[in-house]
Amino acid sequence: MSPSVEDLAGNRVEDLPLTWLRDNCPCPRCRDPRNGQKLFQITELPTGLALDAVRRTADGVEVDWAPDGHRSAYSARWLTANRPAAGEGSGDRRGENGKTLWSAADLNGRLPEASWTEYLGNPAVKARVLEAVLGLGFALLRDVPCREGQVLEVAETFGYVRETNYGRLFDVRVEPDPNNLAFTGARITPHTDNPYRDPVPTLQLLHCLSNAAVGGDSGLVDGFKAAALLRAEDPEAFAVLTRTPVPFRFSDARTELAADRPLIDVDGRGRIREVRFNNRSIGTLLLPADELEAFYRAYRTFAEITLRPELQLEFRLLPGDCLIFDNVRLLHARTAFEESGARHLQGSYADLDALAGTLAVLRRERAVAAREFVDELAELFAGEGASAYLGEQVTMAQHMLQAAARAEEAGAPDALVAAALLHDLGHFHGPVSGAELMEGTDNRHSHTGADRLAEWFGPEVTEPIRLHVAAKRYLCAVEPGYFGRLSQASVYTLEVQGGPMSPAEVAAYEANPYAADGVAVRRWDDEGKDPEAPTPDFARFRPLLMALLRKD
Amino acid sequence: MSPSVEDLAGNRVEDLPLTWLRDNCPCPRCRDPRNGQKLFQITELPTGLALDAVRRTADGVEVDWAPDGHRSAYSARWLTANRPAAGEGSGDRRGENGKTLWSAADLNGRLPEASWTEYLGNPAVKARVLEAVLGLGFALLRDVPCREGQVLEVAETFGYVRETNYGRLFDVRVEPDPNNLAFTGARITPHTDNPYRDPVPTLQLLHCLSNAAVGGDSGLVDGFKAAALLRAEDPEAFAVLTRTPVPFRFSDARTELAADRPLIDVDGRGRIREVRFNNRSIGTLLLPADELEAFYRAYRTFAEITLRPELQLEFRLLPGDCLIFDNVRLLHARTAFEESGARHLQGSYADLDALAGTLAVLRRERAVAAREFVDELAELFAGEGASAYLGEQVTMAQHMLQAAARAEEAGAPDALVAAALLHDLGHFHGPVSGAELMEGTDNRHSHTGADRLAEWFGPEVTEPIRLHVAAKRYLCAVEPGYFGRLSQASVYTLEVQGGPMSPAEVAAYEANPYAADGVAVRRWDDEGKDPEAPTPDFARFRPLLMALLRKD
């Protein structure tokens, strides 16, 4: 049954790059078990590395190395997850391959947003906000307290404030003697901030304290999208902008800053990685005349793309809104406003790496919680589930496991197998117990179950569960003979649940996109009451559940 | 006399790249006079830009633009300083072209260092320390108070602390439950810190509070030098390392960090710009097998270069030392030490951009002070200098200007012309005036002048001045007939100054490397006393002085 050494993970171990394999030895002499850090230098590996012996083990492969006799054990799981390949993994999420590029219409008028209270209180909401910043380049927090300095607290929920010559935070409002156009009522076209800094702050926060001015709306442009369009439409211009260092400069009474960086920075694989765009701070380029001509042509072409109406996402920051955005990707803009109206934002800079790290920790915690959640389900099946199923000849657990087995036999998608497995979860632990239902009170167990599961499963699992009681009432109304096949207990509860549907209820039911799935779950529900039928273990469905769990 | 429009700055204005020229228009409609920021977007320039008219002005060139009729004026100075060319300027000082690459022997055992007190009190010392960090990659401050938290104060003298998950500062000492090898007594081979962060902190500070352990010495390697050696010896390996993203990873109970960056990052021109090197935190590379083979071969070759003995700069941090170093260039290391001995460093991260900005501001202030210093010299020549020159028929100013004119006629290098011009500066404002000298007190004006000028000129200017009185005593001893040519006043002061040199004094004089220059200045001094000779203006020597001034 176990695969041979040769085809484990689809590779012969002997064909793996040997230095790579050895460099990844997980033994405690090679890698600190506490933090995973490597304990050796690459130069300390013997030259002429070779495989002395390769053995299959219960869990994977064990290797004896020549010439030094070191022994390494690799799990099948590690070998499968890490096979050498032309991976285009998103890695650190900094390159375009880790992003979702967008035009304004792609967002359908819906900004990635959350309320401050939910963001603070619900790790899943926080994870979705941080994911939006990584993936789309921005997110909007609503109802952030309109307190001066609050923007720093927002930054500290995911990372560290990057202090600059502007301080830990800066005020954006009309100033009597502005040293920057930002501090006037002028229109500001799409740009990135601080291109004259290196490392440039990779995140910016803007917290709106008041915005009573006429005008002063905000705009965002996906600079990666604009750069990708340039590459598609004018590859030579794109190439020029990736290789021409542009002298960004800033100078005031106390400060002199300089960074010579391209407008579009690509990684070693040519993928877009950073955009800097700010005509205000471009100094004098000193290059041969032909390169200057080529640069200015390309620069103008790129600038025109950034101004295309379809790329402009426009919205208005209201008091309490805090915009968090990727300052090496998104260009931000502001319409002109009347300087007589009060408009006051506070801004701060921070960095993407800590934000991505905070999200990774939330996901790690989520993954732990996910395993714990499935463990709890298993315990419910073994504990409460082993008790009688209201008036039937099977236990609750038998009933749900049989329903799942029927779904599986029918070739149902995983989500519906899970829905069948968990459809009566609402009978457990609810505020109204199953016993109460039998005493004449509808415990609305379909809704209770769906709601409890929604933290972990998408609507493809929860909505058929939510509908499985309605589906009974629906089938009683539309399918001659269905009522006659119901179990005695089901007939009794039908009345408590409202009886067969009225024509209006039928029409409403059919309008639900999950109507058919609800009916399918209902039929497996009805079939899962056979005391003689073989009943699979809960463990059988565990991998399927794990794969369906929401990651955040 | 004035050059034609065509050859101004060696270019025909008509041949300059027109968009470039227009983008650099300095008029107040195009550029904010307060901060130099551009007030227009590149897309707002008319298409089909052309020169409608070009006129020579007193100060440069005036251009009328078609089609929009805009008028721009460019100074000759700007046109000269900014002509399009294959410039290899060091720009933001981040690339290898802005650095001095070194092997340990190049430093001759002398570390770039300064005392904390001098660093704080003397802007020139501070500038030299910051320049060393930019140019060599590190500097050492001595006698920094051994107080916990002091390292943050050091960072704040030139920039901003980069807070990370390790805090604003971190302790490097033996810990009972280390989550990093740094916190044990183990040897740490040359590496850069935090490669799993992006943006990575570009500066690190390490402040030694105690180091009583046996071992625990420090080492530095110039990673740019190592990378340049790799490029020279194995160009293909160099290319592989610049294009292979390496998955750097860090994980502990509260943190997950990831950065996929090459070991050697080059700019758009292929110049070395950043080095990341830290085997401890390299995760599993997922690439096709042939790329993995190529990477590991190149990585090992590079690692071996970083360990070459000639690249290792070794020294011992003593209590009160604070090392500041470029964390994207220098690799730092530590020898093993006995954990029983007390060794405690505090570290912090910061960034190069603010440090370079602080240096630029110091230099800007220095340049202002330099102009002011030359203005003061001009005032001295016009004021005190217009008074009588002790017993001669010329004024002090005439005397010194004539001496400079004689030096110039003799084809002397600029430094000696300046020495001749300023040789009697010590007569001005000194604690003992020239009049006192004539009353029989040696005011040691040669030394006073040299010392006052040393803040602004190198020894090639100050040392001949320091010697010009000794040179008189020397010539009286060794050159028959010299004494007979001295002016009456000079004969009188000779006695006050010590009379002709003894043979021992002659030998000591001749051993001075500036002996001949001192004699040369002395002869122009003797010749500069002719009331009939034409005397140039001080203004004639101003450019020469400005060019000779020390920049820091």
PDB file of all heavy atoms in Angstrom, chain B residues 119 126 129-130 133 141 151 153-160 203-205 324-325 349-359:
ATOM      1  N   TYR B 119      31.413  64.196  18.841  1.00  0.00           N
ATOM      2  CA  TYR B 119      30.338  63.965  17.878  1.00  0.00           C
ATOM      3  C   TYR B 119      29.161  64.893  18.155  1.00  0.00           C
ATOM      4  O   TYR B 119      28.588  65.491  17.245  1.00  0.00           O
ATOM      5  CB  TYR B 119      29.925  62.497  17.967  1.00  0.00           C
ATOM      6  CG  TYR B 119      28.682  62.104  17.214  1.00  0.00           C
ATOM      7  CD1 TYR B 119      28.746  61.767  15.859  1.00  0.00           C
ATOM      8  CD2 TYR B 119      27.438  62.043  17.847  1.00  0.00           C
ATOM      9  CE1 TYR B 119      27.598  61.389  15.168  1.00  0.00           C
ATOM     10  CE2 TYR B 119      26.298  61.666  17.165  1.00  0.00           C
ATOM     11  CZ  TYR B 119      26.384  61.342  15.828  1.00  0.00           C
ATOM     12  OH  TYR B 119      25.246  60.976  15.145  1.00  0.00           O
ATOM     13  N   LYS B 126      30.700  65.175  13.575  1.00  0.00           N
ATOM     14  CA  LYS B 126      29.459  64.436  13.316  1.00  0.00           C
ATOM     15  C   LYS B 126      29.345  64.101  11.829  1.00  0.00           C
ATOM     16  O   LYS B 126      29.000  62.973  11.449  1.00  0.00           O
ATOM     17  CB  LYS B 126      28.259  65.267  13.773  1.00  0.00           C
ATOM     18  CG  LYS B 126      26.936  64.556  13.599  1.00  0.00           C
ATOM     19  CD  LYS B 126      25.810  65.311  14.295  1.00  0.00           C
ATOM     20  CE  LYS B 126      24.466  64.638  14.065  1.00  0.00           C
ATOM     21  NZ  LYS B 126      23.387  65.315  14.782  1.00  0.00           N
ATOM     22  N   VAL B 129      31.558  61.217  10.912  1.00  0.00           N
ATOM     23  CA  VAL B 129      31.009  59.930  11.377  1.00  0.00           C
ATOM     24  C   VAL B 129      29.903  59.461  10.424  1.00  0.00           C
ATOM     25  O   VAL B 129      29.883  58.309   9.972  1.00  0.00           O
ATOM     26  CB  VAL B 129      30.476  60.059  12.825  1.00  0.00           C
ATOM     27  CG1 VAL B 129      29.613  58.853  13.200  1.00  0.00           C
ATOM     28  CG2 VAL B 129      31.645  60.221  13.799  1.00  0.00           C
ATOM     29  N   LEU B 130      28.974  60.363  10.087  1.00  0.00           N
ATOM     30  CA  LEU B 130      27.860  59.969   9.216  1.00  0.00           C
ATOM     31  C   LEU B 130      28.367  59.623   7.817  1.00  0.00           C
ATOM     32  O   LEU B 130      27.891  58.677   7.179  1.00  0.00           O
ATOM     33  CB  LEU B 130      26.809  61.085   9.162  1.00  0.00           C
ATOM     34  CG  LEU B 130      26.233  61.505  10.530  1.00  0.00           C
ATOM     35  CD1 LEU B 130      25.123  62.541  10.346  1.00  0.00           C
ATOM     36  CD2 LEU B 130      25.696  60.306  11.306  1.00  0.00           C
ATOM     37  N   VAL B 133      29.586  56.125   7.797  1.00  0.00           N
ATOM     38  CA  VAL B 133      28.505  55.125   7.718  1.00  0.00           C
ATOM     39  C   VAL B 133      28.029  54.988   6.270  1.00  0.00           C
ATOM     40  O   VAL B 133      27.799  53.887   5.776  1.00  0.00           O
ATOM     41  CB  VAL B 133      27.331  55.498   8.653  1.00  0.00           C
ATOM     42  CG1 VAL B 133      26.198  54.496   8.505  1.00  0.00           C
ATOM     43  CG2 VAL B 133      27.804  55.558  10.108  1.00  0.00           C
ATOM     44  N   LEU B 141      31.296  55.040  17.694  1.00  0.00           N
ATOM     45  CA  LEU B 141      31.316  56.132  18.667  1.00  0.00           C
ATOM     46  C   LEU B 141      31.887  55.600  19.972  1.00  0.00           C
ATOM     47  O   LEU B 141      31.485  54.531  20.436  1.00  0.00           O
ATOM     48  CB  LEU B 141      29.898  56.686  18.885  1.00  0.00           C
ATOM     49  CG  LEU B 141      29.304  57.431  17.695  1.00  0.00           C
ATOM     50  CD1 LEU B 141      27.855  57.815  17.974  1.00  0.00           C
ATOM     51  CD2 LEU B 141      30.127  58.681  17.371  1.00  0.00           C
ATOM     52  N   VAL B 151      21.227  53.795  23.542  1.00  0.00           N
ATOM     53  CA  VAL B 151      21.340  53.532  22.096  1.00  0.00           C
ATOM     54  C   VAL B 151      20.243  54.277  21.323  1.00  0.00           C
ATOM     55  O   VAL B 151      20.440  54.694  20.181  1.00  0.00           O
ATOM     56  CB  VAL B 151      21.312  52.009  21.825  1.00  0.00           C
ATOM     57  CG1 VAL B 151      19.942  51.409  22.123  1.00  0.00           C
ATOM     58  CG2 VAL B 151      21.740  51.692  20.395  1.00  0.00           C
ATOM     59  N   GLU B 153      19.061  57.203  22.094  1.00  0.00           N
ATOM     60  CA  GLU B 153      19.497  58.597  21.965  1.00  0.00           C
ATOM     61  C   GLU B 153      20.509  58.741  20.842  1.00  0.00           C
ATOM     62  O   GLU B 153      20.526  59.743  20.131  1.00  0.00           O
ATOM     63  CB  GLU B 153      20.114  59.085  23.280  1.00  0.00           C
ATOM     64  CG  GLU B 153      19.073  59.461  24.313  1.00  0.00           C
ATOM     65  CD  GLU B 153      19.715  60.105  25.545  1.00  0.00           C
ATOM     66  OE1 GLU B 153      20.635  60.930  25.399  1.00  0.00           O
ATOM     67  OE2 GLU B 153      19.276  59.764  26.656  1.00  0.00           O
ATOM     68  N   VAL B 154      21.371  57.747  20.698  1.00  0.00           N
ATOM     69  CA  VAL B 154      22.341  57.798  19.597  1.00  0.00           C
ATOM     70  C   VAL B 154      21.595  57.816  18.263  1.00  0.00           C
ATOM     71  O   VAL B 154      21.850  58.652  17.397  1.00  0.00           O
ATOM     72  CB  VAL B 154      23.323  56.607  19.664  1.00  0.00           C
ATOM     73  CG1 VAL B 154      24.267  56.630  18.468  1.00  0.00           C
ATOM     74  CG2 VAL B 154      24.114  56.626  20.965  1.00  0.00           C
ATOM     75  N   ALA B 155      20.635  56.910  18.112  1.00  0.00           N
ATOM     76  CA  ALA B 155      19.884  56.847  16.849  1.00  0.00           C
ATOM     77  C   ALA B 155      19.187  58.179  16.569  1.00  0.00           C
ATOM     78  O   ALA B 155      19.127  58.640  15.422  1.00  0.00           O
ATOM     79  CB  ALA B 155      18.862  55.714  16.901  1.00  0.00           C
ATOM     80  N   GLU B 156      18.681  58.791  17.627  1.00  0.00           N
ATOM     81  CA  GLU B 156      17.927  60.032  17.414  1.00  0.00           C
ATOM     82  C   GLU B 156      18.810  61.228  17.081  1.00  0.00           C
ATOM     83  O   GLU B 156      18.299  62.280  16.711  1.00  0.00           O
ATOM     84  CB  GLU B 156      17.047  60.305  18.649  1.00  0.00           C
ATOM     85  CG  GLU B 156      15.847  59.336  18.673  1.00  0.00           C
ATOM     86  CD  GLU B 156      15.198  59.201  20.044  1.00  0.00           C
ATOM     87  OE1 GLU B 156      15.672  59.842  20.997  1.00  0.00           O
ATOM     88  OE2 GLU B 156      14.221  58.418  20.147  1.00  0.00           O
ATOM     89  N   THR B 157      20.123  61.078  17.182  1.00  0.00           N
ATOM     90  CA  THR B 157      20.989  62.176  16.745  1.00  0.00           C
ATOM     91  C   THR B 157      21.056  62.277  15.227  1.00  0.00           C
ATOM     92  O   THR B 157      21.502  63.290  14.696  1.00  0.00           O
ATOM     93  CB  THR B 157      22.441  62.014  17.262  1.00  0.00           C
ATOM     94  OG1 THR B 157      22.998  60.805  16.726  1.00  0.00           O
ATOM     95  CG2 THR B 157      22.500  61.999  18.772  1.00  0.00           C
ATOM     96  N   PHE B 158      20.655  61.230  14.524  1.00  0.00           N
ATOM     97  CA  PHE B 158      20.717  61.306  13.059  1.00  0.00           C
ATOM     98  C   PHE B 158      19.461  60.803  12.374  1.00  0.00           C
ATOM     99  O   PHE B 158      19.364  60.871  11.146  1.00  0.00           O
ATOM    100  CB  PHE B 158      21.931  60.555  12.514  1.00  0.00           C
ATOM    101  CG  PHE B 158      21.956  59.095  12.897  1.00  0.00           C
ATOM    102  CD1 PHE B 158      21.108  58.188  12.287  1.00  0.00           C
ATOM    103  CD2 PHE B 158      22.831  58.628  13.867  1.00  0.00           C
ATOM    104  CE1 PHE B 158      21.121  56.857  12.635  1.00  0.00           C
ATOM    105  CE2 PHE B 158      22.850  57.283  14.229  1.00  0.00           C
ATOM    106  CZ  PHE B 158      21.994  56.402  13.602  1.00  0.00           C
ATOM    107  N   GLY B 159      18.497  60.266  13.128  1.00  0.00           N
ATOM    108  CA  GLY B 159      17.350  59.710  12.415  1.00  0.00           C
ATOM    109  C   GLY B 159      16.261  59.246  13.351  1.00  0.00           C
ATOM    110  O   GLY B 159      16.063  59.822  14.422  1.00  0.00           O
ATOM    111  N   TYR B 160      15.578  58.200  12.933  1.00  0.00           N
ATOM    112  CA  TYR B 160      14.410  57.728  13.647  1.00  0.00           C
ATOM    113  C   TYR B 160      14.562  56.237  13.912  1.00  0.00           C
ATOM    114  O   TYR B 160      14.978  55.483  13.043  1.00  0.00           O
ATOM    115  CB  TYR B 160      13.149  57.995  12.820  1.00  0.00           C
ATOM    116  CG  TYR B 160      13.070  59.454  12.458  1.00  0.00           C
ATOM    117  CD1 TYR B 160      13.508  59.905  11.217  1.00  0.00           C
ATOM    118  CD2 TYR B 160      12.647  60.398  13.390  1.00  0.00           C
ATOM    119  CE1 TYR B 160      13.507  61.253  10.896  1.00  0.00           C
ATOM    120  CE2 TYR B 160      12.642  61.741  13.083  1.00  0.00           C
ATOM    121  CZ  TYR B 160      13.074  62.167  11.838  1.00  0.00           C
ATOM    122  OH  TYR B 160      13.093  63.505  11.548  1.00  0.00           O
ATOM    123  N   LEU B 203      19.797  50.291   8.852  1.00  0.00           N
ATOM    124  CA  LEU B 203      20.876  50.592   9.797  1.00  0.00           C
ATOM    125  C   LEU B 203      20.686  49.787  11.072  1.00  0.00           C
ATOM    126  O   LEU B 203      19.554  49.547  11.493  1.00  0.00           O
ATOM    127  CB  LEU B 203      20.863  52.068  10.192  1.00  0.00           C
ATOM    128  CG  LEU B 203      21.488  53.085   9.267  1.00  0.00           C
ATOM    129  CD1 LEU B 203      21.281  54.472   9.838  1.00  0.00           C
ATOM    130  CD2 LEU B 203      22.978  52.819   9.058  1.00  0.00           C
ATOM    131  N   GLN B 204      21.786  49.439  11.670  1.00  0.00           N
ATOM    132  CA  GLN B 204      21.735  48.834  12.995  1.00  0.00           C
ATOM    133  C   GLN B 204      22.714  49.551  13.912  1.00  0.00           C
ATOM    134  O   GLN B 204      23.783  49.976  13.482  1.00  0.00           O
ATOM    135  CB  GLN B 204      22.071  47.343  12.923  1.00  0.00           C
ATOM    136  CG  GLN B 204      21.949  46.679  14.279  1.00  0.00           C
ATOM    137  CD  GLN B 204      22.064  45.146  14.256  1.00  0.00           C
ATOM    138  OE1 GLN B 204      22.121  44.527  15.294  1.00  0.00           O
ATOM    139  NE2 GLN B 204      22.097  44.569  13.077  1.00  0.00           N
ATOM    140  N   LEU B 205      22.338  49.685  15.168  1.00  0.00           N
ATOM    141  CA  LEU B 205      23.230  50.222  16.196  1.00  0.00           C
ATOM    142  C   LEU B 205      23.426  49.142  17.253  1.00  0.00           C
ATOM    143  O   LEU B 205      22.468  48.438  17.611  1.00  0.00           O
ATOM    144  CB  LEU B 205      22.619  51.455  16.865  1.00  0.00           C
ATOM    145  CG  LEU B 205      22.427  52.691  16.003  1.00  0.00           C
ATOM    146  CD1 LEU B 205      21.072  52.647  15.310  1.00  0.00           C
ATOM    147  CD2 LEU B 205      22.540  53.967  16.833  1.00  0.00           C
ATOM    148  N   ILE B 324      27.668  51.794  14.670  1.00  0.00           N
ATOM    149  CA  ILE B 324      26.554  52.112  13.774  1.00  0.00           C
ATOM    150  C   ILE B 324      26.913  51.510  12.434  1.00  0.00           C
ATOM    151  O   ILE B 324      27.990  51.812  11.900  1.00  0.00           O
ATOM    152  CB  ILE B 324      26.395  53.640  13.613  1.00  0.00           C
ATOM    153  CG1 ILE B 324      26.281  54.323  14.981  1.00  0.00           C
ATOM    154  CG2 ILE B 324      25.191  53.978  12.738  1.00  0.00           C
ATOM    155  CD1 ILE B 324      26.444  55.845  14.897  1.00  0.00           C
ATOM    156  N   PHE B 325      26.064  50.658  11.879  1.00  0.00           N
ATOM    157  CA  PHE B 325      26.453  50.067  10.592  1.00  0.00           C
ATOM    158  C   PHE B 325      25.274  49.832   9.670  1.00  0.00           C
ATOM    159  O   PHE B 325      24.125  49.726  10.093  1.00  0.00           O
ATOM    160  CB  PHE B 325      27.275  48.794  10.792  1.00  0.00           C
ATOM    161  CG  PHE B 325      26.561  47.683  11.501  1.00  0.00           C
ATOM    162  CD1 PHE B 325      25.934  46.670  10.781  1.00  0.00           C
ATOM    163  CD2 PHE B 325      26.524  47.646  12.887  1.00  0.00           C
ATOM    164  CE1 PHE B 325      25.289  45.636  11.430  1.00  0.00           C
ATOM    165  CE2 PHE B 325      25.871  46.611  13.543  1.00  0.00           C
ATOM    166  CZ  PHE B 325      25.251  45.614  12.809  1.00  0.00           C
ATOM    167  N   TYR B 349      17.347  49.494  15.588  1.00  0.00           N
ATOM    168  CA  TYR B 349      17.386  49.651  14.137  1.00  0.00           C
ATOM    169  C   TYR B 349      16.976  51.060  13.753  1.00  0.00           C
ATOM    170  O   TYR B 349      16.228  51.729  14.468  1.00  0.00           O
ATOM    171  CB  TYR B 349      16.467  48.641  13.455  1.00  0.00           C
ATOM    172  CG  TYR B 349      16.859  47.205  13.701  1.00  0.00           C
ATOM    173  CD1 TYR B 349      16.050  46.358  14.444  1.00  0.00           C
ATOM    174  CD2 TYR B 349      18.052  46.709  13.199  1.00  0.00           C
ATOM    175  CE1 TYR B 349      16.418  45.035  14.681  1.00  0.00           C
ATOM    176  CE2 TYR B 349      18.431  45.391  13.432  1.00  0.00           C
ATOM    177  CZ  TYR B 349      17.608  44.560  14.165  1.00  0.00           C
ATOM    178  OH  TYR B 349      17.984  43.272  14.398  1.00  0.00           O
ATOM    179  N   ALA B 350      17.460  51.507  12.607  1.00  0.00           N
ATOM    180  CA  ALA B 350      17.107  52.827  12.082  1.00  0.00           C
ATOM    181  C   ALA B 350      17.291  52.750  10.568  1.00  0.00           C
ATOM    182  O   ALA B 350      17.466  51.654  10.030  1.00  0.00           O
ATOM    183  CB  ALA B 350      17.990  53.898  12.700  1.00  0.00           C
ATOM    184  N   ASP B 351      17.228  53.890   9.898  1.00  0.00           N
ATOM    185  CA  ASP B 351      17.328  53.844   8.438  1.00  0.00           C
ATOM    186  C   ASP B 351      18.330  54.844   7.858  1.00  0.00           C
ATOM    187  O   ASP B 351      18.538  55.926   8.394  1.00  0.00           O
ATOM    188  CB  ASP B 351      15.952  54.029   7.807  1.00  0.00           C
ATOM    189  CG  ASP B 351      15.154  52.740   7.853  1.00  0.00           C
ATOM    190  OD1 ASP B 351      15.652  51.730   7.318  1.00  0.00           O
ATOM    191  OD2 ASP B 351      14.071  52.729   8.456  1.00  0.00           O
ATOM    192  N   LEU B 352      18.900  54.427   6.742  1.00  0.00           N
ATOM    193  CA  LEU B 352      19.939  55.214   6.077  1.00  0.00           C
ATOM    194  C   LEU B 352      19.420  56.535   5.530  1.00  0.00           C
ATOM    195  O   LEU B 352      20.169  57.510   5.452  1.00  0.00           O
ATOM    196  CB  LEU B 352      20.518  54.402   4.906  1.00  0.00           C
ATOM    197  CG  LEU B 352      21.597  53.383   5.262  1.00  0.00           C
ATOM    198  CD1 LEU B 352      21.785  52.405   4.110  1.00  0.00           C
ATOM    199  CD2 LEU B 352      22.909  54.090   5.581  1.00  0.00           C
ATOM    200  N   ASP B 353      18.161  56.583   5.099  1.00  0.00           N
ATOM    201  CA  ASP B 353      17.712  57.804   4.420  1.00  0.00           C
ATOM    202  C   ASP B 353      17.773  59.015   5.332  1.00  0.00           C
ATOM    203  O   ASP B 353      18.258  60.087   4.926  1.00  0.00           O
ATOM    204  CB  ASP B 353      16.330  57.623   3.767  1.00  0.00           C
ATOM    205  CG  ASP B 353      15.256  57.124   4.722  1.00  0.00           C
ATOM    206  OD1 ASP B 353      15.568  56.880   5.904  1.00  0.00           O
ATOM    207  OD2 ASP B 353      14.105  56.983   4.278  1.00  0.00           O
ATOM    208  N   ALA B 354      17.328  58.850   6.582  1.00  0.00           N
ATOM    209  CA  ALA B 354      17.369  59.982   7.503  1.00  0.00           C
ATOM    210  C   ALA B 354      18.813  60.331   7.860  1.00  0.00           C
ATOM    211  O   ALA B 354      19.155  61.512   7.997  1.00  0.00           O
ATOM    212  CB  ALA B 354      16.565  59.668   8.760  1.00  0.00           C
ATOM    213  N   LEU B 355      19.666  59.316   7.993  1.00  0.00           N
ATOM    214  CA  LEU B 355      21.074  59.592   8.292  1.00  0.00           C
ATOM    215  C   LEU B 355      21.700  60.400   7.152  1.00  0.00           C
ATOM    216  O   LEU B 355      22.379  61.413   7.379  1.00  0.00           O
ATOM    217  CB  LEU B 355      21.826  58.271   8.500  1.00  0.00           C
ATOM    218  CG  LEU B 355      23.306  58.390   8.881  1.00  0.00           C
ATOM    219  CD1 LEU B 355      23.732  57.269   9.841  1.00  0.00           C
ATOM    220  CD2 LEU B 355      24.225  58.372   7.665  1.00  0.00           C
ATOM    221  N   ALA B 356      21.447  59.975   5.913  1.00  0.00           N
ATOM    222  CA  ALA B 356      21.980  60.723   4.769  1.00  0.00           C
ATOM    223  C   ALA B 356      21.408  62.135   4.744  1.00  0.00           C
ATOM    224  O   ALA B 356      22.101  63.095   4.387  1.00  0.00           O
ATOM    225  CB  ALA B 356      21.659  59.980   3.461  1.00  0.00           C
ATOM    226  N   GLY B 357      20.128  62.264   5.135  1.00  0.00           N
ATOM    227  CA  GLY B 357      19.508  63.590   5.174  1.00  0.00           C
ATOM    228  C   GLY B 357      20.144  64.487   6.231  1.00  0.00           C
ATOM    229  O   GLY B 357      20.362  65.679   6.007  1.00  0.00           O
ATOM    230  N   THR B 358      20.462  63.896   7.382  1.00  0.00           N
ATOM    231  CA  THR B 358      21.111  64.671   8.448  1.00  0.00           C
ATOM    232  C   THR B 358      22.486  65.147   7.982  1.00  0.00           C
ATOM    233  O   THR B 358      22.871  66.304   8.195  1.00  0.00           O
ATOM    234  CB  THR B 358      21.235  63.803   9.714  1.00  0.00           C
ATOM    235  OG1 THR B 358      19.928  63.415  10.120  1.00  0.00           O
ATOM    236  CG2 THR B 358      21.907  64.560  10.841  1.00  0.00           C
ATOM    237  N   LEU B 359      23.204  64.261   7.303  1.00  0.00           N
ATOM    238  CA  LEU B 359      24.506  64.655   6.768  1.00  0.00           C
ATOM    239  C   LEU B 359      24.348  65.764   5.724  1.00  0.00           C
ATOM    240  O   LEU B 359      25.111  66.733   5.712  1.00  0.00           O
ATOM    241  CB  LEU B 359      25.201  63.426   6.155  1.00  0.00           C
ATOM    242  CG  LEU B 359      26.545  63.688   5.485  1.00  0.00           C
ATOM    243  CD1 LEU B 359      27.543  64.302   6.471  1.00  0.00           C
ATOM    244  CD2 LEU B 359      27.116  62.389   4.911  1.00  0.00           C
TER     245      LEU B 359
END
